[in-house]
Amino acid sequence: MKGKTSQEVILTGIGTSPGICIGKAYLVDKEGVETVKRYTIDKDSLSAEVGRFKTAVNKAEDDLHQIMDAMPEDFRQHARILETHVLLLRDKTIYDRAIELIEKERINAEWALKKVTSEVRPVFEKMDSEYLRQRAEDITHVADRIMEHLVGGDHVDIARINKRVILVAKELSPGETSQIQLERIKGFVTNRGGRTSHTGIIARTLEVPAVLGVENATQKIKNDDIIIVDGKAGTVVINPSEQSLLAAEERRELEDNRKAMMARTSAIPAITRDGKQISIMGNIELGEEVVALRDHGGDGIGLYRTEFQYLSRSCFPDENTLFENYKEVIDVMNPRPVTIRTLDVNGDKAISYLMDEVNPTLGLRAIRDDMDEVNPALGLRAIRYCLRKPEVFQTQLRAILRAAVHGDVRILLPMISCLEELEEAITHINMAAKTLKQRNVPHKRDIPVGIMIEVPSAAITADILAKKADFFSIGTNDLIQYTLAIDRGNQNVAHLYQPLHPAILRLVHTTCKAAKANGITTQMCGEMAADPLCAPVLLGLGIDGLSMHPQAIPEVKQAIRSIDTTQLDAFVAELMQMPSASAVLGLLSHHFGDLVAEHGAESRPFP
Ligand code: PEP
Ligand code: MG
């Protein structure tokens, strides 16, 4: 198309890892694998065909082991994802079924594998849980890896890329993502994937800008196209105009300057203008995030979401594995506090093997059993699951009590909705301590046991719960979901997800007052805590400390340093009269104009 200048095109996807990068697209083409043909195998060659399939599986397994062996130490956590892939290679739903098809239908190994994948993938894709839907990706990664050895193709060899590019692929496996070299790959864009995919988690760990789930990105973006990737806005601009390039450069520079400034100030404590120190802690999902948390100036860990150790595997972790994981985190943070939340599974974080401990692999039966819940967000989630599965709960509690010997550890119980649940959980903690005592294993029982306030009934009865809990931590992600009846993952109702809704502010206020009256503290660890604009509201309502994703810490600390808490009582009196979230925003503009000017609507990373 000589003479025709390329038009700027803007694609949108899911901004998975913040940051802006500009560069040439490097398209990873895996099309060859998808054009396999079917042919019939004669009877005498069947065992050779099965042999060819088994050899391809063996080679795929060798690949995975090689990648794991070459992984740097700080990527050990991600090796688990690849261990899951190794297990999946031989899972009966893939391995046995493919061999069965070759033998029974006398078809070539490529076709058998393609058929198996097309049978298994939809089962996962139709599942309600986003986590399990993402597992369909794992099946594809594993099948692709076997297929490439069958057709003699090459897996994406990220390590071989020798220029500074932005990777564009249908999807990247965790194995591929973990090979990314920061000096080569500026960012990446994929057709599939989302925030909770392992690839998304790794991108955030690496701090590489990434936009996932961009429909047909690999068709719309051509090799060597200049593209802009904005991992916060979730946009990809193809063939940007001069104006867009300048604007992106400016935003990147501003972002870099802001980050540098924040890095310089992150260690300064969050002390309000009238001299009150507010503890600002971090939320982590994976052990390796702990270093970023410390570097961003976190005073401790306010929420360690332990479920990710269960999600990235194919069977329950044992007590020692959990103990080692917790101890590693505690050692880095020591003497700062580490709040370990007990398993919060189901809801949107289902685990395939949960309901069927005897089945250690991703067998379909176990998954179907698990999916029996019609409404998982209101089902056997978090503490409800743990109380129903005492052996799973006991294993985790023993690991926590053992790790507690090594630092300042607190236990946080998720989704408590009534006093009985809290009492039963405390009985379990005592039981775990008793077992360890009988076994003569070093442990510490005398540690604070707090509860998440994330179900409206807990906030309303906070005065009752405060008599038994050692501290509260408000989980606004769920508190908003359950109070406003807004599915936190549903885009259609995302506009109704309002942290400043008067109902939420009243529940926060009720909780803080009940805590104070009973001499305990209230933290907040939901995403609302990460919004600098909410800081005056939360301090005014009586929150004692905040915990958030590490990257948000410096900005929230800075916001707190601009607040004078002696003026908050009058502000709260007005706040509690506001009839709507937008009226609250108006009041904030009136009293905290500078904060509102600095942190407009887009600074709110609500789920
Ligand atoms: C919350 O609900 O606010 C919370 C922090 O827990 P999670 O996001 O893990 O459900
Ligand atoms: Mg929650």
Side-chain angles (χ1 to χ4, degrees), residues 436-467:
L436 289 169
K437 195 170 172 203
Q438 280 163 354
R439 289 189 200 156
N440 249 333
V441 178
H443 66 283
K444 193 170 164 197
R445 165 62 187 95
D446 193 18
I447 58 176
V449 177
I451 61 171
M452 294 280 295
I453 301 287
E454 53 184 346
V455 178
S457 64
I460 295 165
T461 58
D463 56 328
I464 300 171
L465 296 169
K467 301 208 165 45

PDB file of all heavy atoms in Angstrom, residues 436-467:
ATOM      1  N   LEU A 436       0.919 -29.397  68.331  1.00  0.00           N
ATOM      2  CA  LEU A 436       2.352 -29.090  68.213  1.00  0.00           C
ATOM      3  C   LEU A 436       3.056 -29.322  69.550  1.00  0.00           C
ATOM      4  O   LEU A 436       4.182 -29.810  69.599  1.00  0.00           O
ATOM      5  CB  LEU A 436       2.532 -27.637  67.753  1.00  0.00           C
ATOM      6  CG  LEU A 436       2.130 -27.374  66.305  1.00  0.00           C
ATOM      7  CD1 LEU A 436       2.088 -25.875  66.001  1.00  0.00           C
ATOM      8  CD2 LEU A 436       3.078 -28.065  65.318  1.00  0.00           C
ATOM      9  N   LYS A 437       2.346 -28.991  70.640  1.00  0.00           N
ATOM     10  CA  LYS A 437       2.924 -29.177  71.977  1.00  0.00           C
ATOM     11  C   LYS A 437       3.160 -30.668  72.222  1.00  0.00           C
ATOM     12  O   LYS A 437       4.230 -31.079  72.680  1.00  0.00           O
ATOM     13  CB  LYS A 437       1.969 -28.604  73.024  1.00  0.00           C
ATOM     14  CG  LYS A 437       2.612 -28.417  74.363  1.00  0.00           C
ATOM     15  CD  LYS A 437       1.728 -27.630  75.292  1.00  0.00           C
ATOM     16  CE  LYS A 437       2.353 -27.653  76.683  1.00  0.00           C
ATOM     17  NZ  LYS A 437       1.379 -27.418  77.709  1.00  0.00           N
ATOM     18  N   GLN A 438       2.144 -31.458  71.854  1.00  0.00           N
ATOM     19  CA  GLN A 438       2.280 -32.914  72.053  1.00  0.00           C
ATOM     20  C   GLN A 438       3.438 -33.481  71.240  1.00  0.00           C
ATOM     21  O   GLN A 438       4.116 -34.395  71.645  1.00  0.00           O
ATOM     22  CB  GLN A 438       0.987 -33.620  71.634  1.00  0.00           C
ATOM     23  CG  GLN A 438      -0.092 -33.542  72.699  1.00  0.00           C
ATOM     24  CD  GLN A 438      -1.477 -33.874  72.151  1.00  0.00           C
ATOM     25  OE1 GLN A 438      -1.642 -34.065  70.946  1.00  0.00           O
ATOM     26  NE2 GLN A 438      -2.469 -33.931  73.018  1.00  0.00           N
ATOM     27  N   ARG A 439       3.639 -32.870  70.053  1.00  0.00           N
ATOM     28  CA  ARG A 439       4.729 -33.346  69.186  1.00  0.00           C
ATOM     29  C   ARG A 439       6.069 -32.723  69.540  1.00  0.00           C
ATOM     30  O   ARG A 439       7.060 -32.953  68.865  1.00  0.00           O
ATOM     31  CB  ARG A 439       4.418 -32.998  67.736  1.00  0.00           C
ATOM     32  CG  ARG A 439       3.306 -33.783  67.135  1.00  0.00           C
ATOM     33  CD  ARG A 439       3.309 -33.468  65.652  1.00  0.00           C
ATOM     34  NE  ARG A 439       2.043 -33.772  65.053  1.00  0.00           N
ATOM     35  CZ  ARG A 439       1.586 -33.210  63.945  1.00  0.00           C
ATOM     36  NH1 ARG A 439       2.315 -32.292  63.327  1.00  0.00           N
ATOM     37  NH2 ARG A 439       0.445 -33.557  63.449  1.00  0.00           N
ATOM     38  N   ASN A 440       6.051 -31.848  70.513  1.00  0.00           N
ATOM     39  CA  ASN A 440       7.281 -31.173  70.920  1.00  0.00           C
ATOM     40  C   ASN A 440       7.887 -30.285  69.838  1.00  0.00           C
ATOM     41  O   ASN A 440       9.103 -30.180  69.711  1.00  0.00           O
ATOM     42  CB  ASN A 440       8.336 -32.204  71.323  1.00  0.00           C
ATOM     43  CG  ASN A 440       8.572 -32.135  72.802  1.00  0.00           C
ATOM     44  OD1 ASN A 440       8.362 -31.069  73.407  1.00  0.00           O
ATOM     45  ND2 ASN A 440       8.995 -33.256  73.372  1.00  0.00           N
ATOM     46  N   VAL A 441       7.031 -29.686  69.044  1.00  0.00           N
ATOM     47  CA  VAL A 441       7.509 -28.832  67.943  1.00  0.00           C
ATOM     48  C   VAL A 441       7.447 -27.372  68.403  1.00  0.00           C
ATOM     49  O   VAL A 441       6.410 -26.929  68.915  1.00  0.00           O
ATOM     50  CB  VAL A 441       6.603 -29.015  66.691  1.00  0.00           C
ATOM     51  CG1 VAL A 441       7.063 -28.108  65.552  1.00  0.00           C
ATOM     52  CG2 VAL A 441       6.591 -30.468  66.260  1.00  0.00           C
ATOM     53  N   PRO A 442       8.545 -26.609  68.224  1.00  0.00           N
ATOM     54  CA  PRO A 442       8.528 -25.201  68.654  1.00  0.00           C
ATOM     55  C   PRO A 442       7.417 -24.418  67.951  1.00  0.00           C
ATOM     56  O   PRO A 442       7.249 -24.525  66.735  1.00  0.00           O
ATOM     57  CB  PRO A 442       9.902 -24.667  68.226  1.00  0.00           C
ATOM     58  CG  PRO A 442      10.736 -25.865  67.955  1.00  0.00           C
ATOM     59  CD  PRO A 442       9.820 -27.003  67.630  1.00  0.00           C
ATOM     60  N   HIS A 443       6.651 -23.651  68.714  1.00  0.00           N
ATOM     61  CA  HIS A 443       5.564 -22.879  68.141  1.00  0.00           C
ATOM     62  C   HIS A 443       5.191 -21.765  69.116  1.00  0.00           C
ATOM     63  O   HIS A 443       5.688 -21.733  70.247  1.00  0.00           O
ATOM     64  CB  HIS A 443       4.342 -23.769  67.876  1.00  0.00           C
ATOM     65  CG  HIS A 443       3.716 -24.300  69.124  1.00  0.00           C
ATOM     66  ND1 HIS A 443       4.269 -25.353  69.814  1.00  0.00           N
ATOM     67  CD2 HIS A 443       2.626 -23.914  69.825  1.00  0.00           C
ATOM     68  CE1 HIS A 443       3.527 -25.593  70.886  1.00  0.00           C
ATOM     69  NE2 HIS A 443       2.529 -24.734  70.918  1.00  0.00           N
ATOM     70  N   LYS A 444       4.323 -20.849  68.669  1.00  0.00           N
ATOM     71  CA  LYS A 444       3.895 -19.754  69.542  1.00  0.00           C
ATOM     72  C   LYS A 444       2.381 -19.613  69.418  1.00  0.00           C
ATOM     73  O   LYS A 444       1.878 -19.342  68.330  1.00  0.00           O
ATOM     74  CB  LYS A 444       4.586 -18.469  69.088  1.00  0.00           C
ATOM     75  CG  LYS A 444       4.484 -17.338  70.046  1.00  0.00           C
ATOM     76  CD  LYS A 444       5.423 -16.225  69.587  1.00  0.00           C
ATOM     77  CE  LYS A 444       5.086 -14.933  70.285  1.00  0.00           C
ATOM     78  NZ  LYS A 444       5.668 -13.804  69.600  1.00  0.00           N
ATOM     79  N   ARG A 445       1.658 -19.818  70.499  1.00  0.00           N
ATOM     80  CA  ARG A 445       0.199 -19.709  70.457  1.00  0.00           C
ATOM     81  C   ARG A 445      -0.268 -18.291  70.755  1.00  0.00           C
ATOM     82  O   ARG A 445      -1.278 -17.835  70.234  1.00  0.00           O
ATOM     83  CB  ARG A 445      -0.434 -20.706  71.451  1.00  0.00           C
ATOM     84  CG  ARG A 445      -1.907 -20.443  71.772  1.00  0.00           C
ATOM     85  CD  ARG A 445      -2.782 -20.555  70.495  1.00  0.00           C
ATOM     86  NE  ARG A 445      -4.167 -20.153  70.719  1.00  0.00           N
ATOM     87  CZ  ARG A 445      -4.654 -18.928  70.478  1.00  0.00           C
ATOM     88  NH1 ARG A 445      -3.865 -17.950  70.031  1.00  0.00           N
ATOM     89  NH2 ARG A 445      -5.925 -18.647  70.684  1.00  0.00           N
ATOM     90  N   ASP A 446       0.533 -17.612  71.574  1.00  0.00           N
ATOM     91  CA  ASP A 446       0.084 -16.330  72.089  1.00  0.00           C
ATOM     92  C   ASP A 446       0.286 -15.226  71.049  1.00  0.00           C
ATOM     93  O   ASP A 446       1.117 -14.335  71.201  1.00  0.00           O
ATOM     94  CB  ASP A 446       0.873 -16.022  73.372  1.00  0.00           C
ATOM     95  CG  ASP A 446       0.243 -14.868  74.116  1.00  0.00           C
ATOM     96  OD1 ASP A 446      -0.933 -14.566  73.829  1.00  0.00           O
ATOM     97  OD2 ASP A 446       0.942 -14.255  74.947  1.00  0.00           O
ATOM     98  N   ILE A 447      -0.489 -15.282  69.962  1.00  0.00           N
ATOM     99  CA  ILE A 447      -0.372 -14.251  68.928  1.00  0.00           C
ATOM    100  C   ILE A 447      -1.764 -13.662  68.668  1.00  0.00           C
ATOM    101  O   ILE A 447      -2.773 -14.337  68.884  1.00  0.00           O
ATOM    102  CB  ILE A 447       0.224 -14.811  67.608  1.00  0.00           C
ATOM    103  CG1 ILE A 447      -0.628 -15.969  67.058  1.00  0.00           C
ATOM    104  CG2 ILE A 447       1.654 -15.252  67.799  1.00  0.00           C
ATOM    105  CD1 ILE A 447      -0.133 -16.493  65.722  1.00  0.00           C
ATOM    106  N   PRO A 448      -1.810 -12.406  68.200  1.00  0.00           N
ATOM    107  CA  PRO A 448      -3.132 -11.784  67.981  1.00  0.00           C
ATOM    108  C   PRO A 448      -3.925 -12.521  66.902  1.00  0.00           C
ATOM    109  O   PRO A 448      -3.373 -12.923  65.876  1.00  0.00           O
ATOM    110  CB  PRO A 448      -2.785 -10.366  67.513  1.00  0.00           C
ATOM    111  CG  PRO A 448      -1.363 -10.138  67.906  1.00  0.00           C
ATOM    112  CD  PRO A 448      -0.706 -11.478  67.917  1.00  0.00           C
ATOM    113  N   VAL A 449      -5.209 -12.692  67.164  1.00  0.00           N
ATOM    114  CA  VAL A 449      -6.100 -13.316  66.180  1.00  0.00           C
ATOM    115  C   VAL A 449      -7.175 -12.284  65.816  1.00  0.00           C
ATOM    116  O   VAL A 449      -8.014 -11.922  66.639  1.00  0.00           O
ATOM    117  CB  VAL A 449      -6.765 -14.588  66.759  1.00  0.00           C
ATOM    118  CG1 VAL A 449      -7.737 -15.181  65.729  1.00  0.00           C
ATOM    119  CG2 VAL A 449      -5.706 -15.614  67.166  1.00  0.00           C
ATOM    120  N   GLY A 450      -7.090 -11.800  64.592  1.00  0.00           N
ATOM    121  CA  GLY A 450      -8.046 -10.779  64.144  1.00  0.00           C
ATOM    122  C   GLY A 450      -9.014 -11.341  63.126  1.00  0.00           C
ATOM    123  O   GLY A 450      -8.873 -12.474  62.669  1.00  0.00           O
ATOM    124  N   ILE A 451     -10.007 -10.535  62.793  1.00  0.00           N
ATOM    125  CA  ILE A 451     -10.969 -11.002  61.789  1.00  0.00           C
ATOM    126  C   ILE A 451     -11.151  -9.960  60.693  1.00  0.00           C
ATOM    127  O   ILE A 451     -11.031  -8.761  60.920  1.00  0.00           O
ATOM    128  CB  ILE A 451     -12.349 -11.342  62.411  1.00  0.00           C
ATOM    129  CG1 ILE A 451     -12.976 -10.110  63.073  1.00  0.00           C
ATOM    130  CG2 ILE A 451     -12.227 -12.464  63.421  1.00  0.00           C
ATOM    131  CD1 ILE A 451     -14.428 -10.331  63.502  1.00  0.00           C
ATOM    132  N   MET A 452     -11.422 -10.469  59.504  1.00  0.00           N
ATOM    133  CA  MET A 452     -11.766  -9.583  58.399  1.00  0.00           C
ATOM    134  C   MET A 452     -13.203  -9.121  58.641  1.00  0.00           C
ATOM    135  O   MET A 452     -14.060  -9.930  58.995  1.00  0.00           O
ATOM    136  CB  MET A 452     -11.767 -10.335  57.067  1.00  0.00           C
ATOM    137  CG  MET A 452     -10.439 -10.853  56.601  1.00  0.00           C
ATOM    138  SD  MET A 452      -9.396  -9.610  55.824  1.00  0.00           S
ATOM    139  CE  MET A 452     -10.307  -9.169  54.370  1.00  0.00           C
ATOM    140  N   ILE A 453     -13.434  -7.837  58.449  1.00  0.00           N
ATOM    141  CA  ILE A 453     -14.819  -7.346  58.450  1.00  0.00           C
ATOM    142  C   ILE A 453     -15.144  -7.119  56.981  1.00  0.00           C
ATOM    143  O   ILE A 453     -14.738  -6.115  56.379  1.00  0.00           O
ATOM    144  CB  ILE A 453     -14.954  -6.041  59.269  1.00  0.00           C
ATOM    145  CG1 ILE A 453     -14.512  -6.252  60.725  1.00  0.00           C
ATOM    146  CG2 ILE A 453     -16.390  -5.512  59.200  1.00  0.00           C
ATOM    147  CD1 ILE A 453     -15.462  -7.046  61.607  1.00  0.00           C
ATOM    148  N   GLU A 454     -15.792  -8.085  56.389  1.00  0.00           N
ATOM    149  CA  GLU A 454     -16.067  -7.994  54.948  1.00  0.00           C
ATOM    150  C   GLU A 454     -17.461  -8.513  54.592  1.00  0.00           C
ATOM    151  O   GLU A 454     -17.851  -8.537  53.431  1.00  0.00           O
ATOM    152  CB  GLU A 454     -14.993  -8.726  54.137  1.00  0.00           C
ATOM    153  CG  GLU A 454     -14.742 -10.154  54.543  1.00  0.00           C
ATOM    154  CD  GLU A 454     -13.595 -10.792  53.761  1.00  0.00           C
ATOM    155  OE1 GLU A 454     -13.157 -10.251  52.740  1.00  0.00           O
ATOM    156  OE2 GLU A 454     -13.144 -11.880  54.187  1.00  0.00           O
ATOM    157  N   VAL A 455     -18.181  -8.933  55.632  1.00  0.00           N
ATOM    158  CA  VAL A 455     -19.566  -9.345  55.438  1.00  0.00           C
ATOM    159  C   VAL A 455     -20.392  -8.339  56.246  1.00  0.00           C
ATOM    160  O   VAL A 455     -20.032  -8.032  57.384  1.00  0.00           O
ATOM    161  CB  VAL A 455     -19.780 -10.782  55.990  1.00  0.00           C
ATOM    162  CG1 VAL A 455     -21.225 -11.212  55.842  1.00  0.00           C
ATOM    163  CG2 VAL A 455     -18.848 -11.759  55.301  1.00  0.00           C
ATOM    164  N   PRO A 456     -21.468  -7.791  55.689  1.00  0.00           N
ATOM    165  CA  PRO A 456     -22.216  -6.755  56.423  1.00  0.00           C
ATOM    166  C   PRO A 456     -22.598  -7.180  57.845  1.00  0.00           C
ATOM    167  O   PRO A 456     -22.527  -6.378  58.775  1.00  0.00           O
ATOM    168  CB  PRO A 456     -23.461  -6.537  55.550  1.00  0.00           C
ATOM    169  CG  PRO A 456     -23.008  -6.898  54.170  1.00  0.00           C
ATOM    170  CD  PRO A 456     -22.003  -7.992  54.327  1.00  0.00           C
ATOM    171  N   SER A 457     -22.960  -8.450  58.042  1.00  0.00           N
ATOM    172  CA  SER A 457     -23.371  -8.879  59.391  1.00  0.00           C
ATOM    173  C   SER A 457     -22.243  -8.688  60.405  1.00  0.00           C
ATOM    174  O   SER A 457     -22.493  -8.389  61.572  1.00  0.00           O
ATOM    175  CB  SER A 457     -23.828 -10.340  59.374  1.00  0.00           C
ATOM    176  OG  SER A 457     -22.754 -11.181  59.029  1.00  0.00           O
ATOM    177  N   ALA A 458     -21.006  -8.842  59.953  1.00  0.00           N
ATOM    178  CA  ALA A 458     -19.869  -8.666  60.874  1.00  0.00           C
ATOM    179  C   ALA A 458     -19.736  -7.198  61.260  1.00  0.00           C
ATOM    180  O   ALA A 458     -19.464  -6.870  62.428  1.00  0.00           O
ATOM    181  CB  ALA A 458     -18.586  -9.175  60.226  1.00  0.00           C
ATOM    182  N   ALA A 459     -19.912  -6.302  60.287  1.00  0.00           N
ATOM    183  CA  ALA A 459     -19.803  -4.873  60.593  1.00  0.00           C
ATOM    184  C   ALA A 459     -20.929  -4.452  61.539  1.00  0.00           C
ATOM    185  O   ALA A 459     -20.706  -3.733  62.517  1.00  0.00           O
ATOM    186  CB  ALA A 459     -19.868  -4.060  59.298  1.00  0.00           C
ATOM    187  N   ILE A 460     -22.124  -4.945  61.286  1.00  0.00           N
ATOM    188  CA  ILE A 460     -23.285  -4.555  62.100  1.00  0.00           C
ATOM    189  C   ILE A 460     -23.160  -5.089  63.532  1.00  0.00           C
ATOM    190  O   ILE A 460     -23.572  -4.430  64.488  1.00  0.00           O
ATOM    191  CB  ILE A 460     -24.592  -5.056  61.426  1.00  0.00           C
ATOM    192  CG1 ILE A 460     -24.770  -4.342  60.085  1.00  0.00           C
ATOM    193  CG2 ILE A 460     -25.814  -4.813  62.314  1.00  0.00           C
ATOM    194  CD1 ILE A 460     -25.793  -4.986  59.158  1.00  0.00           C
ATOM    195  N   THR A 461     -22.544  -6.265  63.666  1.00  0.00           N
ATOM    196  CA  THR A 461     -22.390  -6.842  65.014  1.00  0.00           C
ATOM    197  C   THR A 461     -20.946  -6.701  65.517  1.00  0.00           C
ATOM    198  O   THR A 461     -20.486  -7.504  66.335  1.00  0.00           O
ATOM    199  CB  THR A 461     -22.791  -8.332  65.028  1.00  0.00           C
ATOM    200  OG1 THR A 461     -21.965  -9.018  64.070  1.00  0.00           O
ATOM    201  CG2 THR A 461     -24.239  -8.546  64.671  1.00  0.00           C
ATOM    202  N   ALA A 462     -20.258  -5.680  65.026  1.00  0.00           N
ATOM    203  CA  ALA A 462     -18.854  -5.492  65.404  1.00  0.00           C
ATOM    204  C   ALA A 462     -18.686  -5.404  66.923  1.00  0.00           C
ATOM    205  O   ALA A 462     -17.677  -5.836  67.474  1.00  0.00           O
ATOM    206  CB  ALA A 462     -18.301  -4.250  64.728  1.00  0.00           C
ATOM    207  N   ASP A 463     -19.690  -4.847  67.624  1.00  0.00           N
ATOM    208  CA  ASP A 463     -19.583  -4.713  69.090  1.00  0.00           C
ATOM    209  C   ASP A 463     -19.528  -6.093  69.759  1.00  0.00           C
ATOM    210  O   ASP A 463     -18.856  -6.285  70.778  1.00  0.00           O
ATOM    211  CB  ASP A 463     -20.756  -3.887  69.641  1.00  0.00           C
ATOM    212  CG  ASP A 463     -22.104  -4.476  69.263  1.00  0.00           C
ATOM    213  OD1 ASP A 463     -22.211  -5.072  68.169  1.00  0.00           O
ATOM    214  OD2 ASP A 463     -23.049  -4.370  70.069  1.00  0.00           O
ATOM    215  N   ILE A 464     -20.204  -7.064  69.163  1.00  0.00           N
ATOM    216  CA  ILE A 464     -20.186  -8.432  69.721  1.00  0.00           C
ATOM    217  C   ILE A 464     -18.846  -9.099  69.391  1.00  0.00           C
ATOM    218  O   ILE A 464     -18.180  -9.673  70.264  1.00  0.00           O
ATOM    219  CB  ILE A 464     -21.354  -9.270  69.121  1.00  0.00           C
ATOM    220  CG1 ILE A 464     -22.696  -8.622  69.461  1.00  0.00           C
ATOM    221  CG2 ILE A 464     -21.283 -10.721  69.586  1.00  0.00           C
ATOM    222  CD1 ILE A 464     -23.892  -9.243  68.743  1.00  0.00           C
ATOM    223  N   LEU A 465     -18.446  -8.975  68.121  1.00  0.00           N
ATOM    224  CA  LEU A 465     -17.219  -9.650  67.674  1.00  0.00           C
ATOM    225  C   LEU A 465     -15.968  -9.052  68.325  1.00  0.00           C
ATOM    226  O   LEU A 465     -14.982  -9.755  68.559  1.00  0.00           O
ATOM    227  CB  LEU A 465     -17.122  -9.577  66.147  1.00  0.00           C
ATOM    228  CG  LEU A 465     -18.241 -10.320  65.400  1.00  0.00           C
ATOM    229  CD1 LEU A 465     -18.233  -9.981  63.912  1.00  0.00           C
ATOM    230  CD2 LEU A 465     -18.116 -11.827  65.586  1.00  0.00           C
ATOM    231  N   ALA A 466     -16.025  -7.742  68.616  1.00  0.00           N
ATOM    232  CA  ALA A 466     -14.849  -7.067  69.192  1.00  0.00           C
ATOM    233  C   ALA A 466     -14.482  -7.641  70.559  1.00  0.00           C
ATOM    234  O   ALA A 466     -13.348  -7.488  71.020  1.00  0.00           O
ATOM    235  CB  ALA A 466     -15.121  -5.574  69.307  1.00  0.00           C
ATOM    236  N   LYS A 467     -15.426  -8.319  71.199  1.00  0.00           N
ATOM    237  CA  LYS A 467     -15.130  -8.877  72.524  1.00  0.00           C
ATOM    238  C   LYS A 467     -14.278 -10.136  72.394  1.00  0.00           C
ATOM    239  O   LYS A 467     -13.643 -10.579  73.351  1.00  0.00           O
ATOM    240  CB  LYS A 467     -16.440  -9.184  73.263  1.00  0.00           C
ATOM    241  CG  LYS A 467     -17.280  -7.938  73.421  1.00  0.00           C
ATOM    242  CD  LYS A 467     -18.187  -7.958  74.617  1.00  0.00           C
ATOM    243  CE  LYS A 467     -18.728  -6.582  74.962  1.00  0.00           C
ATOM    244  NZ  LYS A 467     -19.211  -5.760  73.876  1.00  0.00           N
TER     245      LYS A 467
END
